[in-house]
Amino acid sequence: MDKVLRDKRAILLFVLPGLTLFLLVVIIPMFTSIYYSLLDWNGFGDRTFIGLKNYYELFSGKVFSFNKSIINGFYLTFLTLLFQFPMALVLALILSSEIKGEGFFRTVYFIPVMLSAVVIAMLFQRIYDPNYGLLHMVLLKLGLQSWAEVTLLGNPKTAMTAASFPILWQWVGYHMLLLYAGAKSVPTELREAAKIDGAGPVTTVFRIVLPLMLPVIKVCIVMLIIGSIKEFDVIFTMTKGGPVNSSQMPSLVMIETIFRRYKYGMGSAMAMCIVLLCLLITALLQKIFDRKDP
């Protein structure tokens, strides 16, 4: 093995296929998108170089739907951090404490992740239906007649929140599994030593388990935030960004700009803004966690 590691030709031979694939599917398309974002182009005809005009229009607020979509992306991020992450963490900690039926519950919580986003979106459309949906019937049973008649996905004030809950529900199991693996990797000897020293379950979790899970927690939070900013399929199926742009997301606006309005240059500028936003958030979180992880 040492002989192979010292052979630069052998290293190049092993690295070259992966590097080539990375260049073809990531680096080259990214630089191509940067070039397209500097053009006034409908995707078919002549290309006109306009410099940073597309970016100027985005940041000057002339494209209202994109600004609204960025706000909605942060709103979904807020909901995931407020509901999805704590729920996933609590479930992971409970399951990792070797409860009865650990494997069964782990599988049950992970089932929504395996379902298609379109299926989940259509399922919640039925639940929200103001005429025969499950939520409608529950609210009627509780005597909340006025609430039962609200069309959650058709009201600009409630559409974004209503469309967010299927996303929160679907991905709890995914993050639960990541956090569960992190919790199970904590050495049993440390838990037993803490118990001998008189530490209760809550103290053990806060003083031993959570600090050792910090790398996994960091990965989960980064994936939660970036996933929220890039969300597309569930909201597209449920509301298509409406009504009145109230549930628009950055990727929805980008797709609509490119394939319906035929503004390829503007759509590419939106794509680059999404990429830059995700990179910026990742770098910021990395810096925050580095301070907490001496």
Side-chain angles (χ1 to χ4, degrees), residues 26-82:
V26 177
I27 301 300
I28 293 175
M30 185 177 291
F31 279 96
T32 306
S33 293
I34 293 173
Y35 170 65
Y36 288 154
S37 70
L38 305 176
L39 302 176
D40 179 13
W41 185 39
N42 62 8
F44 301 101
D46 296 331
R47 307 173 185 182
T48 306
F49 185 80
I50 57 173
L52 299 174
K53 188 178 177 183
N54 286 328
Y55 293 97
Y56 173 75
E57 290 187 3
L58 284 179
F59 290 113
S60 62
K62 291 183 178 179
V63 186
F64 171 75
S65 57
F66 188 71
N67 296 341
K68 177 67 177 174
S69 71
I70 294 291
I71 294 171
N72 285 341
F74 283 117
Y75 178 66
L76 180 58
T77 300
F78 171 73
L79 291 179
T80 56
L81 293 175
L82 187 64

Side-chain angles (χ1 to χ4, degrees), residues 84 108-129 153 161-174 231-239:
Q84 192 181 70
V108 168
Y109 294 142
F110 193 73
I111 286 175
V113 181
M114 296 186 290
L115 297 178
S116 162
V118 176
V119 172
I120 289 176
M122 295 184 72
L123 173 68
F124 272 82
Q125 278 181 327
R126 302 293 182 276
I127 292 173
Y128 290 153
D129 192 286
L153 296 175
T161 304
S164 298
F165 272 95
I167 301 165
L168 304 181
W169 175 75
Q170 181 183 17
W171 293 104
V172 164
Y174 178 79
E231 174 57 35
F232 174 79
D233 38 18
V234 170
I235 291 185
F236 177 78
T237 307
M238 294 185 79
T239 66

Side-chain angles (χ1 to χ4, degrees), residues 80-216:
T80 56
L81 293 175
L82 187 64
F83 295 107
Q84 192 181 70
F85 178 74
M87 193 179 296
L89 182 60
V90 169
L91 289 174
L93 291 173
I94 292 173
L95 289 181
S96 64
S97 61
E98 299 181 353
I99 62 168
K100 190 176 181 181
E102 178 182 335
F104 170 76
F105 289 113
R106 190 177 60 220
T107 305
V108 168
Y109 294 142
F110 193 73
I111 286 175
V113 181
M114 296 186 290
L115 297 178
S116 162
V118 176
V119 172
I120 289 176
M122 295 184 72
L123 173 68
F124 272 82
Q125 278 181 327
R126 302 293 182 276
I127 292 173
Y128 290 153
D129 192 286
N131 298 313
Y132 56 83
L134 178 63
L135 184 62
H136 169 78
M137 290 190 285
V138 171
L139 291 173
L140 283 181
K141 289 285 185 186
L142 294 174
L144 302 171
Q145 177 74 30
S146 58
W147 288 21
E149 294 173 352
V150 174
T151 308
L152 291 174
L153 296 175
N155 188 333
K157 293 180 180 177
T158 57
M160 185 61 209
T161 304
S164 298
F165 272 95
I167 301 165
L168 304 181
W169 175 75
Q170 181 183 17
W171 293 104
V172 164
Y174 178 79
H175 295 287
M176 179 274 297
L177 199 62
L178 290 178
L179 293 166
Y180 168 81
K184 292 295 277 188
S185 68
V186 175
T188 311
E189 295 81 4
L190 291 178
R191 294 176 187 261
E192 292 175 350
K195 192 175 180 180
I196 291 171
D197 288 343
V202 177
T203 305
T204 304
V205 165
F206 279 98
R207 296 294 180 87
I208 295 177
V209 179
L210 288 181
L212 292 175
M213 288 175 62
L214 202 57
V216 183

